[in-house]
Amino acid sequence: MIPAQFDYAAPSTLDEALSLLAQNEDAKILAGGHSLIPAMKLRLAQPPLLVDIGRIKDLSYVREENGQIRIGAMTTHYQIESSDLLKKICPLLPECAGAIGDVQVRNKGTIGGSVAHSDPAGDWPAAIIALSAELIATNKNGERSIKADDFFIDLLTTALEPGEILREIRINKSNGRTGQAYAKMHHPASGFAVVGVAANLTLDGNGACQEAGIGITGVSAKAYRAAAVESALNGKKLDDRTIASAAANAASGVDLNGDLFASADYRRHLAEVYTKRAITAAASRAR
Ligand SMILES: Cc1cc2nc3c(=O)[nH]c(=O)nc-3n(C[C@H](O)[C@H](O)[C@H](O)COP(=O)(O)OP(=O)(O)OC[C@H]3O[C@@H](n4cnc5c(N)ncnc54)[C@H](O)[C@@H]3O)c2cc1C
């Protein structure tokens, strides 16, 4: 439980952090440390240098800009959970944040760290996909934007390149009658998602589903968009029958995880049940 030796740097600007990363190929970024430090203690990660981005002031914020919600990568789960702005304009985010771990974890863990880590049982990736967020990565040469659908590549693997820092998460503000919800089965020991389903629904003037965003975590090696569920909802009135038959597709075409706590078959069942719950709650909240 003792990590291998490493150097530590705590830059106060993004430029400084990017230079350190450019000069040290094997360096690792330290955000809240709630995943990286345990991995180092188990010697699953042995970075020679930690670049702590916790002292860079302008990486922690929630704001509305140009019709978008913008969230700095170092914003903690608790800051999102307690944001009055988000409760009003994107309640899925505070709801998802409130479902993460416990108070200590939410006070220290960051949205950027969680998304960059791509834990198969992490909560944020489901919401990020359901909201079709844009992830802004930066390195010494500039910035690029990565769509949520292209960001999560595999188990603990994202589209971020060595030397890149995830700087910001952008979400288009929804217009019209929108309803959102996050439904999660917590692992009783860790609090992580055995299954977590994020639903982001927009209804048209007649109350039919105009656009559905459904992101699912915990079920497979990485979070995914439940495209078959979305297309079974689009254009339809969201009555119980439509929701149930759409939710039956929650794990279709997905390679399911199985472990001591939940077999692959049980996870398939949970994915369907929690997808139904998330859609039902989101539909009832659409205003
Ligand atoms: C007891 C416990 C319970 C938890 N329960 C839950 C839960 O229920 N649900 C859940 O989703 N999570 C849970 N977590 C995880 C926690 O919420 C953190 O979000 C997660 O550990 C990663 O965030 P972090 O800020 O701690 O990142 P770190 O651990 O500092 O970093 C994680 C990885 O991301 C990289 N990284 C960090 N920030 C950036 C960045 N801006 N750009 C590029 N790379 C970056 C790091 O180099 C590292 O590889 C739990 C953790 C603990 C310890």
Side-chain angles (χ1 to χ4, degrees):
M1 294 301 279
I2 297 173
Q5 268 206 331
F6 60 90
D7 288 328
Y8 172 84
S12 54
T13 66
L14 190 58
D15 270 354
E16 250 180 277
L18 292 172
S19 298
L20 284 163
L21 291 172
Q23 289 155 21
N24 298 276
E25 210 175 277
D26 296 324
K28 278 243 165 228
I29 297 161
L30 177 71
H34 272 199
S35 291
L36 182 54
I37 300 297
M40 288 172 64
K41 287 185 163 187
L42 293 168
R43 304 221 173 180
L44 297 171
Q46 300 191 25
L49 170 67
L50 284 189
V51 178
D52 183 348
I53 58 172
R55 305 215 182 137
I56 304 175
K57 286 200 179 59
D58 50 2
L59 283 180
S60 173
Y61 54 84
V62 174
R63 58 179 174 246
E64 202 182 337
E65 205 175 304
N66 297 337
Q68 286 186 317
I69 297 154
R70 298 192 172 186
I71 303 176
M74 282 301 290
T75 308
T76 63
H77 310 319
Y78 176 72
Q79 285 173 297
I80 295 172
E81 180 187 8
S82 58
S83 162
D84 288 335
L85 174 68
L86 292 178
K87 284 180 195 164
K88 210 165 97 195
I89 62 175
C90 193
L92 174 57
L93 294 170
E95 187 177 4
C96 182
I100 295 175
D102 53 31
V103 175
Q104 287 93 333
V105 171
R106 297 199 289 276
N107 267 321
K108 197 75 188 143
T110 65
I111 187 167
S114 175
V115 169
H117 191 54
S118 186
D119 190 299
D123 291 286
W124 282 127
I128 293 293
I129 289 170
L131 293 165
S132 297
E134 213 187 316
L135 299 118
I136 308 300
T138 181
N139 68 10
K140 276 305 275 175
N141 304 317
E143 283 199 347
R144 68 185 176 118
S145 155
I146 308 165
K147 290 191 176 130
D149 285 333
D150 301 328
F151 188 82
F152 303 102
I153 306 279
D154 203 347
L155 182 83
L156 307 179
T157 309
T158 69
L160 288 171
E161 299 282 353
E164 278 186 325
I165 293 181
L166 173 64
R167 186 179 70 72
E168 186 176 79
I169 292 142
R170 295 182 184 166
I171 295 155
N172 286 332
K173 244 183 89 183
S174 55
N175 296 310
R177 294 177 65 190
T178 303
Q180 304 176 334
Y182 187 60
K184 170 180 180 180
M185 182 185 190
H186 295 76
H187 189 288
S190 69
F192 275 93
V194 178
V195 168
V197 182
N200 176 35
L201 307 175
T202 305
L203 306 190
D204 67 18
N206 299 318
C209 181
Q210 185 177 304
E211 198 175 351
I214 309 290
I216 301 187
T217 189
V219 173
S220 189
K222 61 168 183 127
Y224 61 93
R225 177 181 294 285
V229 178
E230 294 175 352
S231 48
L233 296 174
N234 286 334
K236 311 245 175 65
K237 292 256 188 201
L238 298 180
D239 54 31
D240 289 351
R241 227 162 78 179
T242 303
I243 294 174
S245 87
N249 299 307
S252 62
V254 169
D255 245 346
L256 291 133
N257 280 344
D259 55 33
L260 273 180
F261 184 73
S263 67
D265 277 348
Y266 183 44
R267 271 197 164 80
R268 184 191 310 283
H269 170 70
L270 290 175
E272 180 175 340
V273 170
Y274 280 78
T275 298
K276 214 186 299 178
R277 286 186 188 175
I279 297 168
T280 304
S284 74
R285 292 172 189 172
R287 281 162 282 159

